[in-house]
Amino acid sequence: MAQPAIIAEDLAYAYGQLLAVDHISFDVAEGEILGFLGPNGAGKSTTVSMLTGQLRPQEGRATVLGTDVARHPKRVQAQIGICFEDTNLYEPMSGTENLQLFARLFGVRDFDAGALLKRVGLDGRGKDKVGGYSKGLKQRLMVARALVNEPRVLFLDEPTEGLDPTSARAIRNLILEEQGRGATVFLTTHDMHEADTLCQRVAFIDQGRIVALDTPHALKQRYGKRTVRAEVEGADGNLEVRELVLGRRETAAEIEALFRGEKVVTIHSEEATLEDIFIQLTGSPLV
Amino acid sequence: MNVRIVCALIGKDLKLYFSNRLFAMLTVLGLVSYIVFYFLLPGTVDETLELALYAADMPPALEALLDKGEVRFYRSDSVDSLREAVEHGDVPAGYAFPDDLLTRLSRGEGVAVQLFISPVVPAEFVEMYEVILHEFAFAISGQGLNIDTTEIVLGPDMAGQQVAPRQRMLPMLTVFVLMVECVGLASLIATEVETGTIQALLVTPLTMVGLFAGKGVFGTLFAFAQVVLLIGITGGLVHQPLLILTALLFGAALVTGVAFLVASTGRDLMSVMGWGILGILLLVLPTFTVIVPGSASRWIKLIPSYYLVDTIYRTIGFGASWGDVAHNLVILLLYAAVFMALGVVVLKRKFR
């Protein structure tokens, strides 16, 4: 069996008295997209910093592509790509110059900035200064920069936050393309729909601890309240909502009674969203 | 450390530096204006002492005294024209002898002489003019003192080769060029920290050592190139070019270290400018020892730029050799190393 691309073993980090990451353990398989979800201050960024060699774990160990990150950060960083949450591009330089600079730092030979810009939908804007880009274009360039070295592991921190739907979709497609190339993706996001559609597994982190880690489907199965929601026409002609819980012995009879006794206008099965589950597990919304 | 990476960083910094209009303008216009300013200043020193005098009847002994010596005398037709010449600044001082000078002298009576002094004349010079007047009195009365003086100059004999005002200004212009570049580099680094681009660089194979090597080489070479241009165009590389280049290189390394320190203290362009101006003021202080010799206290030698200023001044102005300024170069190099090391330590913490 192939070794996981990312292994976190009992990772812990505290800022003074504040325990930001509280002994978490998980792994990410090669080619997998793992969604890392949690509210602000939950410990996501600190975890990413430890996994990418920006912070040295105070306890535990992080391994990326078989290399201990704390011991050989540069060896790891040569094989990964990072897209930061905050835009940190050289705005007085052009898009092409930004990419070429990082390609040189990574030692990429025969780097084709034009092709990469085209991939992220920035063809024709390469010569423009980044300072003149919109937020969406800057974010695309951020993702492109994370790809200059064709990384085996991608760390993406809120890559679609605040973007227009077109830019967000373009970036999601890129993430899927990268997965298709064989890259492992560690995706930090607030967007539950994004996590649901892109990620093979999601981890919920709250107050420095992982409170759940599984596939979105399994989490919904385990924590979700599966219901059928029907709209029926009442005696006064107004629509009324009926909700029936699935999975019980008497559900079939209840549905039969509903159709027999009332005029059903619409009926849908409903399952809990990841957000519902997060609130259920942590008691607070994902903001 | 990878040379390819360092070169990439230098190219990037050069591009960013000149994309900042303020510093691009300060660098180019500053350099041009310093050079123009240098050539506008007098290139020679005229140390002839000028005096005007009025005497209705010039005693022969005084007449004979006027024909020799280093003092240039102007004869005035009247007391009023003498006063006017001093008031207009044509001459710094003038003596007005009374019309009955010869009569009073022959009677052995006292003579009242008016000494007109321009307000710009320093107090020490006023005393000198009075001494000259007493010298005249001795000559006129035929009681000249029989004293032979032998001049022995201890140190380089500067008689006839005084340092021109433009050369006195050159060390100050050099420090200005270095410090503008220092503030520019500090601002560049502070902006990179503020915008998080440093963070992006440090999650690539670029190491902290490589990053500082790139910044250090860029800062030093960029500052060095500018001062070499300044000194070269103003003719300072004619004598002892290697010595001057060495001093300038050490000076450029020193201000790069200062730039690291300034960048670590400032959070944005304004605070960097604030700290940078403080640095400029401090490092410029020793240049006044050249402009106004003898004006400095001993503590001025605690300021690192003193050793650059002194080396440039003595080498370009007086043709000092390696042996004459070796201790200056050693101290300057030590200062540069200390400031660079301090800057790296402090700035590294900020990068993290």
Side-chain angles (χ1 to χ4, degrees), chain A residues 4-8 26-29 51 63-65 153-155 184-186:
Chain A
I6 302 170
I7 304 171
F26 61 89
D27 55 53
V28 188
L51 293 174
T63 309
V64 172
L65 299 169
V153 179
L154 254 177
F155 290 89
T184 306
V185 181
F186 189 91

Side-chain angles (χ1 to χ4, degrees), chain A:
Chain A
M1 187 181 165
Q3 192 182 25
I6 302 170
I7 304 171
E9 294 171 276
D10 207 28
L11 281 183
Y13 196 92
Y15 298 99
Q17 296 295 310
L18 178 70
L19 189 57
V21 175
D22 187 3
H23 302 90
I24 61 172
S25 299
F26 61 89
D27 55 53
V28 188
E30 272 196 55
E32 180 184 3
I33 302 177
L34 177 79
F36 208 57
L37 313 175
N40 292 331
K44 300 191 298 287
S45 296
T46 306
T47 304
V48 171
S49 293
M50 286 190 284
L51 293 174
T52 55
Q54 298 175 73
L55 269 183
R56 199 180 178 88
Q58 290 166 342
E59 287 180 53
R61 184 167 175 252
T63 309
V64 172
L65 299 169
T67 304
D68 186 317
V69 182
R71 290 179 67 183
H72 305 288
K74 290 295 151 190
R75 200 182 292 173
V76 170
Q77 286 163 354
Q79 300 182 79
I80 65 175
I82 304 173
C83 178
F84 294 88
E85 181 179 5
D86 296 320
T87 308
N88 55 358
L89 297 160
Y90 285 105
E91 304 215 351
M93 290 163 54
S94 71
T96 303
E97 287 169 340
N98 267 273
L99 296 184
Q100 282 171 339
L101 169 67
F102 280 80
R104 279 191 210 121
L105 296 180
F106 278 106
V108 180
R109 288 165 190 256
D110 305 321
F111 175 67
D112 187 350
L116 187 50
L117 287 169
K118 193 173 181 182
R119 265 190 77 194
V120 297
L122 285 175
D123 45 330
R125 300 298 305 269
K127 288 181 181 171
D128 298 344
K129 286 192 174 172
V130 174
Y133 285 12
S134 66
K135 181 176 167 59
L137 296 187
K138 283 179 185 171
Q139 196 59 33
R140 290 183 194 208
L141 187 62
M142 289 281 287
V143 175
R145 189 180 69 184
L147 300 178
V148 291
N149 58 331
E150 296 189 1
R152 290 176 63 192
V153 179
L154 254 177
F155 290 89
L156 304 173
D157 199 352
E158 306 282 0
T160 60
E161 193 184 18
L163 294 190
D164 60 278
T166 313
S167 294
R169 186 182 297 170
I171 287 174
R172 285 185 199 120
N173 288 339
L174 267 172
I175 294 170
L176 291 172
E177 278 177 32
E178 284 303 298
Q179 186 193 26
R181 185 176 61 79
T184 306
V185 181
F186 189 91
L187 175 68
T188 306
T189 181
H190 275 103
D191 188 334
M192 291 295 177
H193 175 69
E194 183 172 274
D196 206 351
T197 52
L198 286 178
C199 303
Q200 276 74 63
R201 289 189 301 152
V202 292
F204 290 153
I205 182 167
D206 185 48
Q207 295 180 352
R209 290 184 189 167
I210 291 180
V211 292
L213 170 59
D214 213 328
T215 64
H217 182 72
L219 286 173
K220 289 171 192 170
Q221 289 289 317
R222 195 180 316 149
Y223 299 105
K225 186 177 74 172
R226 293 180 300 126
T227 58
V228 169
R229 187 173 186 274
E231 285 179 323
V232 299
E233 196 175 293
D236 53 0
N238 291 332
L239 290 179
E240 294 172 9
V241 174
R242 303 279 185 271
E243 203 167 79
L244 307 174
V245 178
L246 294 171
R248 296 181 302 153
R249 188 172 295 171
E250 57 271 28
T251 305
E254 286 174 355
I255 291 174
E256 192 181 347
L258 180 74
F259 275 94
R260 196 170 288 155
E262 303 200 62
K263 187 177 177 184
V264 178
V265 182
T266 63
I267 185 164
H268 301 281
S269 65
E270 290 204 326
E271 59 183 6
T273 63
L274 288 178
E275 183 144 20
D276 294 333
I277 298 166
F278 188 86
I279 293 169
Q280 188 183 329
L281 288 170
T282 65
S284 54
L286 194 64
V287 287

Side-chain angles (χ1 to χ4, degrees), chain B:
Chain B
M1 195 171 62
N2 188 315
V3 175
R4 171 181 46 80
I5 286 181
V6 172
C7 289
L9 289 180
I10 292 172
K12 181 259 301 174
D13 282 341
L14 203 57
K15 204 166 284 176
L16 291 176
Y17 190 95
F18 282 103
S19 68
N20 183 323
R21 285 183 188 173
L22 174 67
F23 285 111
M25 197 177 72
L26 281 177
T27 300
V28 177
L29 283 185
L31 199 54
V32 171
S33 57
Y34 295 151
I35 291 168
V36 170
F37 180 62
Y38 174 87
F39 284 110
L40 285 177
L41 286 170
T44 55
V45 179
D46 182 6
E47 292 195 332
T48 311
L49 187 62
E50 294 183 323
L51 267 174
L53 61 85
Y54 165 73
D57 298 309
M58 187 71 74
L62 184 57
E63 193 88 56
L65 202 63
L66 302 187
D67 290 339
K68 60 178 186 179
E70 299 297 321
V71 185
R72 184 180 298 156
F73 287 97
Y74 297 95
R75 301 277 302 266
S76 294
D77 302 333
S78 64
V79 177
D80 288 341
S81 65
L82 174 70
R83 177 194 287 269
E84 202 172 308
V86 176
E87 272 179 350
H88 288 176
D90 300 335
V91 283
Y95 302 111
F97 291 97
D99 288 344
D100 57 349
L101 173 68
L102 291 178
T103 314
R104 295 181 77 86
L105 284 174
S106 62
R107 287 184 194 153
E109 294 174 3
V111 176
V113 179
Q114 284 180 295
L115 172 59
F116 296 103
I117 302 283
S118 165
V120 297
V121 173
E124 299 85 350
F125 277 52
V126 175
E127 283 179 24
M128 186 195 69
Y129 288 123
E130 286 171 359
V131 170
I132 291 174
L133 186 61
H134 291 138
E135 193 67 27
F136 287 164
F138 282 125
I140 294 168
S141 63
Q143 296 174 11
L145 299 176
N146 189 16
I147 297 173
D148 261 346
T149 21
T150 307
E151 289 176 4
I152 302 166
V153 179
L154 302 173
D157 186 357
M158 297 307 301
Q161 47 172 322
Q162 285 76 10
V163 178
R166 62 168 59 161
Q167 282 196 337
R168 288 189 189 278
M169 284 299 291
L170 196 54
M172 180 182 266
L173 300 179
T174 306
V175 173
F176 273 149
V177 169
L178 289 175
M179 285 311 295
V180 166
E181 193 281 334
C182 164
V183 176
L185 177 64
S187 152
L188 197 70
I189 296 171
T191 306
E192 284 197 87
V193 173
E194 194 184 359
T195 56
T197 47
I198 284 283
Q199 195 188 1
L201 293 178
L202 287 172
V203 292
T204 68
L206 174 67
T207 59
M208 199 67 92
V209 174
L211 179 66
F212 276 105
K215 296 280 179 211
V217 171
F218 166 73
T220 305
L221 288 186
F222 191 45
F224 178 65
Q226 290 177 57
V227 284
V228 166
L229 261 179
L230 173 73
I231 300 282
I233 291 173
T234 53
L237 291 176
V238 176
H239 302 295
Q240 297 280 16
L242 200 59
L243 197 165
I244 291 289
L245 290 176
T246 306
L248 294 180
L249 186 64
F250 291 171
L254 170 72
V255 294
T256 303
V258 174
F260 287 171
L261 283 173
V262 171
S264 68
T265 53
R267 286 187 176 176
D268 50 30
L269 182 64
M270 287 312 290
S271 55
V272 164
M273 291 290 269
W275 285 105
I277 286 169
L278 185 67
I280 289 176
L281 289 176
L282 270 175
L283 294 189
V284 160
L285 278 181
T287 64
F288 290 101
T289 62
V290 171
I291 295 168
V292 188
S295 62
S297 306
R298 284 191 173 189
W299 59 262
I300 208 82
K301 291 188 177 181
L302 292 174
I303 300 176
S305 56
Y306 171 82
Y307 300 94
L308 173 66
V309 168
D310 192 49
T311 304
I312 293 174
Y313 182 57
R314 286 170 59 191
T315 308
I316 296 176
F318 309 128
S321 64
W322 284 93
D324 297 328
V325 292
H327 69 286
N328 269 3
L329 292 176
V330 171
I331 296 172
L332 184 60
L333 179 62
L334 284 175
Y335 263 124
V338 167
F339 272 79
M340 191 75 89
L342 265 177
V344 168
V345 168
V346 180
L347 199 53
K348 200 159 82 173
R349 292 178 65 185
K350 188 159 186 174
F351 286 170
R352 279 176 177 159

